[in-house]
Amino acid sequence: EAVRVRTPASAANLGPGFDCMGAALTLYNEFCFSLLPDEGSLDIDLKGIDVVHLTTDADNLAYKSFKRLYDRLGKKTPGVKIEIDMEIPLTRGLGSSATAIVAGLVAANHLAESPLSQTELMELAIAIEGFPDNVVPALLGGCHLATKDEGGWLICDIPWHETIIPVVAIPNFELSTADARRILPSGYDRQDAIFNISHIGLLVRGLETGNPEWLKRGMEDRIHQPYRKTLIPGYDEVKQAAIEAGALGVAISGAGPTLIAFVNADRGTEVGTAMVESWKTHGIHVDALSLMLD
Ligand code: HSE
């Protein structure tokens, strides 16, 4: 028996939505899980981009997540062959790890005849990743906001205006999420909290209406980007170049270093080219992709 799972990249945070908002993008990793006759056996086959950084033993994240579901069910993990075809570059802020977590859980749940609901899968995925804003869009697609209170996790879909596309500029250097989290302060001023609260309102309304001023200012934040931009050479110039070429707003995708611009569909190529050229002046090679919301 085999199950194939195609999981989208995601851009987390989108500016002020730190650790709560993310959008799925039309760039995918594909995972094929086939059961092997010997219990506990594991065979992992990798192809595509950045695979030299992935392990093919029991530490592989897709396998760990697959096993985690069987552990949760109190069942032995069956032997499995996992073929992974990677299209999403690693450690660039595009939720590549989230794709492995979601694929492992979804495949195991399917092979175990779906004992867990989608909400339970989502909660398990968030527990493995530690934050919700990549795994939720990776599992559900679209743009979502996730929050947790005494009532547990709550997921809310964010309407996305049809004229807006995301352009992602992916530089050829890595930035570990752990390093990009370590640089953040442990507390914030009330003024900074108010700034982010008001800007997430602007961003949500900007995404819904396509209003350029709301989108541009709605991607500003004071919780993570002012600190993280110091880890991204050329950040201010690339952002400025994107805005001058017609981007409606620009933010760090996830923990970076990828930058995501929101663009009217007819300006995608110009904005992507401007970001590539600007980063080139810092000696950084960039792939710019005009994508869609998955
Ligand atoms: N919200 C997380 C962070 C996403 O910004 O650290 C990491 O991809």
Side-chain angles (χ1 to χ4, degrees):
E1 204 179 343
V3 50
R4 192 176 290 278
V5 187
R6 200 169 75 118
T7 321
S10 47
N13 304 323
L14 302 176
F18 179 65
D19 273 3
C20 63
M21 195 157 144
L25 307 173
T26 48
L27 184 68
Y28 302 90
N29 287 339
E30 204 168 299
F31 303 80
C32 183
F33 296 75
S34 338
L35 293 183
L36 297 174
D38 292 334
E39 198 174 87
S41 62
L42 173 64
D43 179 7
I44 297 180
D45 214 35
L46 302 170
K47 70 173 187 204
I49 201 164
D50 283 352
V51 293
V52 288
H53 299 300
L54 293 179
T55 58
T56 54
D57 57 17
D59 277 335
N60 179 281
L61 189 54
Y63 178 70
K64 273 180 35 184
S65 308
F66 183 83
K67 182 173 181 307
R68 178 82 170 258
L69 189 121
Y70 284 95
D71 291 349
R72 154 87 176 255
L73 298 176
K75 287 187 173 174
K76 285 232 159 68
T77 307
V80 66
K81 174 171 178 160
I82 312 177
E83 291 158 275
I84 305 177
D85 190 353
M86 300 268 300
E87 197 182 42
I88 307 168
L90 279 171
T91 334
R92 310 294 167 80
L94 287 166
S96 193
S97 313
T99 69
I101 295 169
V102 165
L105 294 176
V106 166
N109 197 46
H110 180 81
L111 291 166
E113 293 173 356
S114 306
L116 296 197
S117 67
Q118 198 175 53
T119 304
E120 289 169 319
L121 284 180
M122 189 195 65
E123 287 171 356
L124 199 48
I126 296 171
I128 296 172
E129 177 91 305
F131 33 79
D133 43 346
N134 290 115
V135 290
V136 169
L139 181 65
L140 303 178
C143 184
H144 285 88
L145 186 129
T147 185
K148 191 182 187 187
D149 54 27
E150 305 80 52
W153 280 104
L154 181 66
I155 309 298
C156 167
D157 67 308
I158 305 294
W160 185 285
H161 198 265
E162 60 190 9
T163 56
I164 297 168
I165 61 162
V167 172
V168 297
I170 311 169
N172 66 344
F173 68 94
E174 299 181 357
L175 182 52
S176 95
T177 301
D179 289 347
R181 292 182 83 81
R182 212 172 294 122
I183 199 170
L184 303 180
S186 51
Y188 294 92
D189 283 348
R190 185 192 296 178
Q191 285 310 319
D192 289 346
I194 294 168
F195 184 94
N196 266 58
I197 293 164
S198 53
H199 279 68
I200 198 151
L202 264 185
L203 175 61
V204 168
R205 287 285 292 145
L207 281 171
E208 189 179 354
T209 58
N211 179 304
E213 187 67 7
W214 294 350
L215 270 173
K216 178 171 171 217
R217 292 171 62 174
M219 289 181 96
E220 296 302 313
D221 102 292
R222 291 200 183 152
I223 300 289
H224 69 113
Q225 296 184 122
Y227 307 95
R228 287 175 163 175
K229 73 177 196 174
T230 62
L231 303 172
I232 306 175
Y235 169 89
D236 285 320
E237 293 88 336
V238 174
K239 182 171 164 182
Q240 188 56 31
I243 298 281
E244 280 166 16
L248 303 172
V250 181
I252 300 174
S253 178
T258 293
L259 297 185
I260 179 166
F262 289 156
V263 178
N264 272 322
D266 59 351
R267 299 294 298 171
T269 311
E270 286 84 347
V271 169
T273 306
M275 294 170 92
V276 169
E277 290 304 317
S278 176
W279 241 323
K280 205 187 271 173
T281 64
H282 294 267
I284 294 170
H285 172 80
V286 175
D287 288 322
L289 306 173
S290 293
L291 301 172
M292 299 291 283
L293 184 70
D294 171 83

